[in-house]
Amino acid sequence: AALLPRPARGLTDRLYCGRRVCYEVLGVSRQASKAEIARAYRQLARQYHPDRYRGEPAGGEGGGAQAAHEKFLLIAAAYETLKDEETRKDYDYMLDHPEEYYRHYYHYYSRRLAPKVDVTIVILVTVCAISVFQFFSWWSSYNEAINYLASVPKYRIQATEIARQQGLLNKTKEKGKNRRSKEEIREEEEEIIKDIIKNKIDIKGGYQKPKIYDILLFQILLAPFYWCKYIVWYCWWIYCFTIKGQEYGVEEKLYIIRRYMKMSQSQFDSLEDHQKKTFLERQLWIRENYEVYKREQEEELKKKMAMDPRWKRYRRWMKNEGPGRLTFIDD
């Protein structure tokens, strides 16, 4: 009697095989092996599968195709429960401990609702997809910047002169059998000019040449290294400039100015060199000097907006026809 399944209080309609015992549904004992369970399932599936059903009464109980279909679903649920070792272990525990009602619900739905794919794989694929998109997007921006600089007369003339000095443009004009069309020569000269611009001009900011280490995947992999590097740098900063009281160097001064301006490294790098020189001349790494500079910039911006015709029209509209104004127009 102890070896027989106890279907009584532990069976519910929403768990496993409902009010039926899964072992009884397949016609096997609780000691049956996986091979015996699979064999019993195949036999019953062939008998009650909707594609094989030919109108005979389902199990001799009547009901026709609908009863056979429900019987097949019950057989499939029993097999899904018993074929997996972990699920079968939870089911046997439910049969032996029917009083632990909430525990059975937790184990059942935690397995049913668990993702079929490993979350780690999903995260890795997502990070790789974002990294690939980042890399190609940055290359597109970089090529866009090169094409723009190649169209600016100032840079184009300089690049053409360098190409002539290096003898690169003369190679495009062959004679005889190797002679090419003007269109092919023009395209090759354009590529030569762009290559010189790439090598001679330092493009900064968001249009700079992309680096493989800047993409998200490498940033995540190198995050521990960056954190350790930052901690070492911060300790060095405190030791040199707070404890020992050393004077700031040029890089340290520019770093403080960038922090005051709340700019990222790429944004600050995109500034012209004369602007950075002005920052250093005005000693903007000193907080008081930076506050004065900030107020001056705000006042200058207000003056520019006041002199801008579009801004004047906007203020005139806000005064006369702006939101919240009710007028009666006479015919």
Side-chain angles (χ1 to χ4, degrees), residues 32-247:
S33 63
K34 292 182 65 174
E36 293 174 342
I37 292 174
R39 185 165 53 252
Y41 166 73
R42 287 194 295 269
Q43 292 176 355
L44 294 172
R46 283 195 295 267
Q47 180 180 354
Y48 294 102
H49 196 280
D51 295 338
R52 292 177 174 271
Y53 182 71
R54 295 294 182 267
E56 297 86 356
E61 300 174 358
Q66 182 63 28
H69 180 68
E70 294 177 357
K71 179 71 173 179
F72 177 77
L73 294 180
L74 182 61
I75 293 169
Y79 179 65
E80 289 294 326
T81 300
L82 301 180
K83 74 174 184 177
D84 183 72
E85 292 292 339
E86 296 296 328
T87 307
R88 183 178 180 180
K89 183 178 179 180
D90 292 339
Y91 182 70
D92 290 341
Y93 188 87
M94 185 188 76
L95 295 178
D96 296 333
H97 303 84
E99 69 280 358
E100 300 182 17
Y101 184 77
Y102 295 105
R103 186 179 188 275
H104 305 323
Y105 261 90
Y106 170 75
H107 281 285
Y108 177 77
Y109 284 105
S110 63
R111 294 188 183 280
R112 289 290 300 273
L113 301 178
K116 303 301 181 182
V117 182
D118 190 0
V119 178
T120 306
I121 298 177
V122 175
I123 295 175
L124 181 60
V125 171
T126 304
V127 170
C128 291
I130 295 174
S131 302
V132 171
F133 175 79
Q134 274 183 328
F135 190 71
F136 283 103
S137 176
W138 288 344
W139 265 112
S140 177
S141 300
Y142 177 70
N143 291 328
E144 182 181 347
I146 295 297
N147 293 332
Y148 169 75
L149 293 175
S151 64
V152 176
K154 173 184 175 182
Y155 300 108
R156 188 175 184 85
I157 292 173
Q158 293 179 1
T160 304
E161 186 63 27
I162 294 173
R164 285 200 182 99
Q165 292 176 0
Q166 296 179 355
L168 299 175
L169 295 181
N170 299 330
K171 297 180 180 179
T172 61
K173 299 178 180 179
E174 295 91 351
K175 295 181 180 181
K177 296 182 179 180
N178 296 328
R179 188 176 182 179
R180 292 168 296 170
S181 63
K182 293 182 179 180
E183 185 66 26
E184 292 176 346
I185 295 175
R186 190 180 300 111
E187 291 179 357
E188 185 173 347
E189 290 179 350
E190 190 71 21
E191 291 298 325
I192 292 173
I193 291 173
K194 290 180 180 179
D195 289 339
I196 292 176
I197 291 175
K198 291 178 182 178
N199 297 325
K200 298 296 183 180
I201 298 180
D202 184 18
I203 303 176
K204 299 179 180 179
Y207 293 94
Q208 64 184 354
K209 189 175 182 179
K211 299 177 182 178
I212 192 68
Y213 296 105
D214 292 335
I215 63 176
L216 180 61
L217 178 61
F218 281 93
Q219 290 293 311
I220 294 175
L221 295 177
L222 297 175
F225 169 75
Y226 290 141
W227 274 107
C228 295
K229 185 178 178 181
Y230 174 76
I231 293 172
V232 172
W233 172 86
Y234 186 76
C235 295
W236 169 84
W237 183 282
I238 295 297
Y239 174 75
C240 292
F241 303 114
T242 303
I243 299 176
K244 296 183 65 175
Q246 296 180 2
E247 293 185 0

Side-chain angles (χ1 to χ4, degrees), residues 308-321:
D308 189 354
R310 292 175 296 179
W311 176 246
K312 289 182 178 180
R313 288 196 298 269
Y314 174 73
R315 288 190 301 168
R316 193 181 305 117
W317 177 80
M318 289 295 294
K319 180 179 179 181
N320 299 326
E321 306 293 339

